[in-house]
Amino acid sequence: MSDMSSMSRESRKQKLRQRVISADAPIPPQLRSELNAEESEEAVALAQKKARRRKLILLAALLAVIGGAAGGLYYYQRNYQYVGYETDWQTDLNEGSLVGYESFGNNVLKYTKDGASYIDNHGKTVWTESYEMKNPIVARQGEYVAIADRQGNKICIFGSTGKVGEASTVLPISKVTISGTGIVAAVVEDSTASYVMFYDRDGSSLQVGIKTIISGDGYVLGAALSNDGTQLMCSVVYIRNGELKNRVVFYDFSEVGKNVPDRIVGGFDDPFDGTIVPRVFYMNNSYSCAISGKGLTFFSTENIASPSLVAQVAVESEIQSVCYNKDYVAMVLKNPSGEYTNSLQVYKKDGTHAFTKDFTYEYTHLDIDDDLIILYNENSCEIFNMAGVQKLYATFDFTVSKVRKGRFPNTLVVSGPQQMREIKLR
């Protein structure tokens, strides 16, 4: 209600009152009606104002309660430490010639020398595909998985519904990588050169490849495809003036790299002087990482035509393990002395430090699953969140091959050669 209208109403009311007070005769009905109408309008406006004030107070109180509950839940999830568990469900598995498990979507892929099975978060087998491989190796990104026979010639490509393709190579396979679109790059080699061959998700050759001469360009030690399959990152070892050198090279197969010689859009030697880079990987289309004896080197490919080095994390002790997801890289360093035997260091995709946690635990596997760092061996696990808080230490009464998040925040799925369990933490 505007100030002018309030003033006008008050003026009318004053005039009415003056007319009433100045007369000894009874108040005429018309004047009484006008005065009552004015006073009723004022009472309604006052009631509405009080109602609005009460609503604002209730809303503020409700927001405070919601904010407090959210803050309490965040604090609980961040700092609460589980002390035990109970089994929600358990299923027996056919052991076969188990090689390992690979997280795949919200479920898990079990792979052996004889085939692969896709198992959901209820322990049910969604599909099983057969093959024969002497030494299967796995590459996974997005909705696709490639299983290749190291030093063999077969590559099987899988999606969430089963096998989508199969490729064969002429030369022995040393490494394999896959994009989130199902494109596969296989590193093969002979006595004089190494080659990177590309295949579509149905296994058909893409008729494009990269060749490096061992005595000249060098040898491809590691390779990784970006999520969209248009970029390839390689670690190449070569000899210069009798010394072993390492270079990280970026290739682009989109329209951007079409007119660039050999499709090479970037190459980095200096960060790896005096060391070797055994592994490279993309975290997403914009960030990638190289692991060397000196530590971690982070790159940005936001400018596809000119990849750039964004951060280097130097280490002085031995790197024991490295794992990553689209947001974080985690590595465990060996502590040569002191109270703790290991140091867990976690970094964001741009190389920013997230946290460091020293620990003493004899682990054999290191994984990142969403916001959890999971260390485990064949009969126990230790889990940290991204704040460096230990969420769980637990032992198991059966052989463990894989530990991952379950369907709910307080559950884990623990898989072994013979059985799989979902456990509820408490």
Side-chain angles (χ1 to χ4, degrees):
M1 185 177 297
S2 68
D3 292 339
M4 291 299 294
S5 62
S6 297
M7 292 174 63
S8 176
R9 191 172 67 247
E10 283 299 319
S11 176
R12 291 199 306 271
K13 288 170 64 178
Q14 283 294 109
K15 289 179 180 179
L16 286 171
R17 289 191 180 98
Q18 288 173 3
R19 290 169 64 185
V20 170
I21 294 170
S22 63
D24 294 331
I27 302 174
Q30 183 178 355
L31 293 180
R32 185 185 299 277
S33 175
E34 290 183 27
L35 184 59
N36 289 342
E38 290 290 340
E39 290 176 344
S40 297
E41 185 179 345
E42 182 181 86
V44 169
L46 183 61
Q48 290 176 340
K49 185 176 181 180
K50 289 181 178 179
R52 285 195 295 269
R53 185 182 295 114
R54 283 197 298 269
K55 287 180 180 180
L56 289 173
I57 292 171
L58 288 173
L59 179 60
L62 180 60
L63 291 175
V65 170
I66 293 173
L73 179 61
Y74 171 79
Y75 181 84
Y76 172 83
Q77 291 180 336
R78 181 181 185 273
N79 296 287
Y80 183 79
Q81 293 179 286
Y82 298 102
V83 296
Y85 65 88
E86 57 188 29
T87 300
D88 263 3
W89 56 257
Q90 174 179 325
T91 186
D92 293 330
L93 301 173
N94 179 20
E95 179 175 356
S97 51
L98 177 68
V99 175
Y101 290 90
E102 182 72 22
S103 294
F104 188 21
N106 294 323
N107 303 310
V108 68
L109 184 77
K110 175 186 176 183
Y111 62 102
T112 73
K113 294 181 179 181
D114 308 310
S117 298
Y118 188 44
I119 305 171
D120 69 16
N121 266 346
H122 296 275
K124 306 296 184 182
T125 300
V126 180
W127 51 257
T128 298
E129 299 283 355
S130 299
Y131 55 72
E132 290 186 7
M133 296 185 186
K134 293 181 179 179
N135 187 11
I137 55 174
V138 173
R140 187 260 309 167
Q141 189 165 190
E143 297 299 317
Y144 291 94
V145 170
I147 301 179
D149 194 6
R150 191 196 298 270
Q151 296 306 313
N153 307 98
K154 180 184 291 186
I155 304 170
C156 294
I157 306 164
F158 301 93
S160 59
T161 58
K163 188 163 79 169
V164 297
E166 183 173 318
S168 296
T169 64
V170 176
L171 297 172
I173 300 166
S174 62
K175 299 164 191 70
V176 66
T177 180
I178 192 169
S179 74
T181 59
I183 294 173
V184 173
V187 180
V188 299
E189 57 193 37
D190 58 24
S191 59
T192 61
S194 61
Y195 310 81
V196 182
M197 310 302 296
F198 296 86
Y199 303 89
D200 208 342
R201 59 175 171 262
D202 63 0
S204 59
S205 174
L206 291 177
Q207 303 301 318
V208 62
I210 296 169
K211 178 181 180 181
T212 59
I213 306 298
I214 295 175
S215 60
D217 310 287
Y219 170 82
V220 178
L221 189 61
L225 278 169
S226 63
N227 182 63
D228 63 6
T230 63
Q231 301 170 40
L232 178 73
M233 180 184 187
C234 288
S235 170
V236 180
V237 178
Y238 63 99
I239 297 175
R240 177 183 293 171
N241 299 325
E243 293 185 12
L244 194 64
K245 301 285 187 178
N246 207 126
R247 174 185 301 121
V248 170
V249 183
F250 289 87
Y251 298 85
D252 184 78
F253 295 93
S254 69
E255 289 298 315
V256 173
K258 188 174 182 180
N259 299 317
V260 178
D262 299 323
R263 291 189 175 268
I264 297 176
V265 292
F268 299 84
D269 295 75
D270 293 343
F272 311 108
D273 188 33
T275 190
I276 298 298
V277 181
R279 187 179 176 191
V280 294
F281 52 85
Y282 278 90
M283 302 180 71
N284 54 35
N285 279 341
S286 298
Y287 290 96
S288 56
C289 184
I291 304 169
S292 72
K294 288 184 175 181
L296 306 178
T297 304
F298 292 85
F299 297 95
S300 170
T301 50
E302 288 185 314
N303 181 355
I304 299 173
S306 181
S308 60
L309 190 156
V310 293
Q312 287 185 277
V313 178
V315 299
E316 296 183 358
S317 55
E318 178 187 352
I319 299 176
Q320 298 193 100
S321 306
V322 176
C323 65
Y324 68 96
N325 63 9
K326 63 183 180 63
D327 297 311
Y328 296 96
V329 178
M331 66 176 172
V332 175
L333 304 177
K334 186 176 181 62
N335 278 341
S337 61
E339 179 183 355
Y340 300 98
T341 58
N342 302 301
S343 179
L344 171 65
Q345 297 187 14
V346 179
Y347 296 86
K348 297 179 183 179
K349 59 190 175 185
D350 62 356
T352 304
H353 179 257
F355 73 88
T356 294
K357 183 72 174 182
D358 294 333
F359 68 96
T360 298
Y361 171 66
E362 297 298 325
Y363 76 99
T364 55
H365 296 82
L366 170 69
D367 285 335
I368 295 182
D369 194 345
D370 193 19
D371 58 348
L372 296 180
I373 308 291
I374 304 175
L375 300 109
Y376 58 98
N377 56 36
E378 64 177 15
N379 55 31
S380 66
C381 74
E382 186 169 18
I383 298 177
F384 299 92
N385 65 15
M386 287 303 171
V389 176
Q390 185 198 62
K391 298 295 290 180
L392 176 72
Y393 173 78
T395 59
F396 307 108
D397 58 2
F398 71 106
T399 302
V400 174
S401 304
K402 179 77 171 179
V403 180
R404 59 194 175 92
K405 292 184 72 172
R407 294 171 293 164
F408 306 106
N410 65 332
T411 61
L412 297 172
V413 176
V414 185
S415 307
Q418 298 175 319
Q419 63 180 249
M420 178 183 291
R421 298 181 190 178
E422 183 178 63
I423 60 174
K424 184 177 181 179
L425 307 180
R426 51 179 172 79

